[in-house]
Amino acid sequence: QVQLVESGGGVVQPGGSLRLSCAASGFTFSSYGMHWVRQAPGKGLEWVAFIRYDGSNKYYADSMKGRFTISRDNSRNTLYLQMNSLRADDTAVYYCAKVGLHSDLYFDYWGQGKLVTVSS
Amino acid sequence: DIVMTQSPDSLAVSLGERATINCKSSQSVLYSSNNKNYLAWYQHKPGQPPKLLIYWASTRESGVPDRFSGSGSGTDFTLTISSLQAEDVAVYYCQQYYNFPPTFGQGTKLEIK
């Protein structure tokens, strides 16, 4: 069965950096695009970034452009999110999510999520 | 960006009764070339990841109970739970996947009355 397991969260100071990883199993990782979606405390779901199955194209939410970088290593079945210049409002649970079978822009499996806290 | 607006923000329904959640998009998410609505619904329980319930506005994901149904077209959509069960307590989100960026409604919190 599909499994997505995030790692790398934690507490970081404002202006700092953090890298999240998402280890995928149970499907052919190299055939599917992947997303990061986040949920700030007490807030709703917010899309963060998308990468195509082969890494050829990447898309970001406007508020993350220039600060966040999505990447993947298909040989390791792993998705990454490099987060730089972190701000307090980046505090959230970050989920990796697999694209659906019929479109790249909805999500059929999600990881358990990893909390990132930006605080001094 | 397409803005998704759900109503109500919260809802309390008795066990066994019908629950209805509405979702409105700021522009149509109906793609004329294939006549499909690019609209999904998710269920999100505390401490768990969101779960896909419905895509194409009305197609249930595999394994989703048939008490969950989606309807609507263009800009107005509805998620209906025909007979509320205790395990359905959650926050429900609609999401458009018509274009970038994919956007979610603000969520509707469903509770037991």
Side-chain angles (χ1 to χ4, degrees):
Chain A
Q1 71 281 22
V2 172
Q3 280 200 313
L4 299 169
V5 179
E6 297 97 340
S7 59
V11 181
V12 60
Q13 291 189 338
S17 299
L18 206 60
R19 188 176 83 157
L20 297 178
S21 300
C22 170
S25 61
F27 66 103
T28 305
F29 180 72
S30 58
S31 296
Y32 293 92
M34 296 291 295
H35 294 264
W36 289 97
V37 179
R38 71 183 184 182
Q39 183 178 36
K43 303 293 187 183
L45 299 171
E46 180 184 25
W47 173 76
V48 172
F50 166 70
I51 186 168
R52 290 207 186 279
Y53 68 98
D54 58 357
S56 59
N57 292 93
K58 304 172 186 181
Y59 301 84
Y60 300 92
D62 285 346
S63 60
M64 291 87 173
K65 275 180 194 170
R67 300 189 303 122
F68 289 13
T69 301
I70 189 172
S71 62
R72 64 191 298 158
D73 185 340
N74 285 345
S75 68
R76 295 177 183 269
N77 289 348
T78 303
L79 175 72
Y80 302 100
L81 184 68
Q82 177 67 43
M83 302 182 290
N84 299 330
S85 303
L86 283 161
R87 313 186 298 225
D89 63 358
D90 293 317
T91 294
V93 173
Y94 286 75
Y95 298 97
C96 61
K98 173 185 166 292
V99 301
L101 294 180
H102 307 286
S103 166
D104 279 348
L105 294 189
Y106 74 98
F107 323 100
D108 64 358
Y109 290 94
W110 301 61
Q112 285 291 326
K114 210 64 182 176
L115 178 62
V116 172
T117 303
V118 184
S119 174
S120 54
Chain B
D1 297 4
I2 298 176
V3 177
M4 308 299 292
T5 304
Q6 293 179 224
S7 61
D9 290 334
S10 63
L11 181 63
V13 174
S14 300
L15 289 172
E17 295 299 305
R18 178 184 301 260
T20 301
I21 298 170
N22 300 301
C23 174
K24 189 174 184 69
S25 56
S26 60
Q27 67 184 73
S28 176
V29 298
L30 174 62
Y31 195 41
S32 56
S33 66
N34 60 8
N35 201 37
K36 288 187 179 294
N37 288 283
Y38 284 60
L39 190 285
W41 288 96
Y42 301 87
Q43 176 190 65
H44 194 191
K45 297 180 181 180
Q48 297 185 21
K51 175 186 176 182
L52 174 66
L53 295 176
I54 286 170
Y55 57 95
W56 295 139
S58 60
T59 302
R60 266 190 306 277
E61 174 73 341
S62 174
V64 173
D66 61 5
R67 64 180 181 272
F68 291 91
S69 64
S71 62
S73 184
T75 61
D76 292 279
F77 301 91
T78 300
L79 174 70
T80 301
I81 308 172
S82 60
S83 177
L84 189 71
Q85 305 299 303
E87 62 265 32
D88 300 335
V89 169
V91 179
Y92 291 85
Y93 294 92
C94 61
Q95 178 239 328
Q96 67 80 18
Y97 53 102
Y98 184 84
N99 62 15
F100 271 108
T103 47
F104 295 89
Q106 79 277 18
T108 295
K109 186 174 185 179
L110 178 59
E111 299 172 313
I112 304 294
K113 186 186 290 183

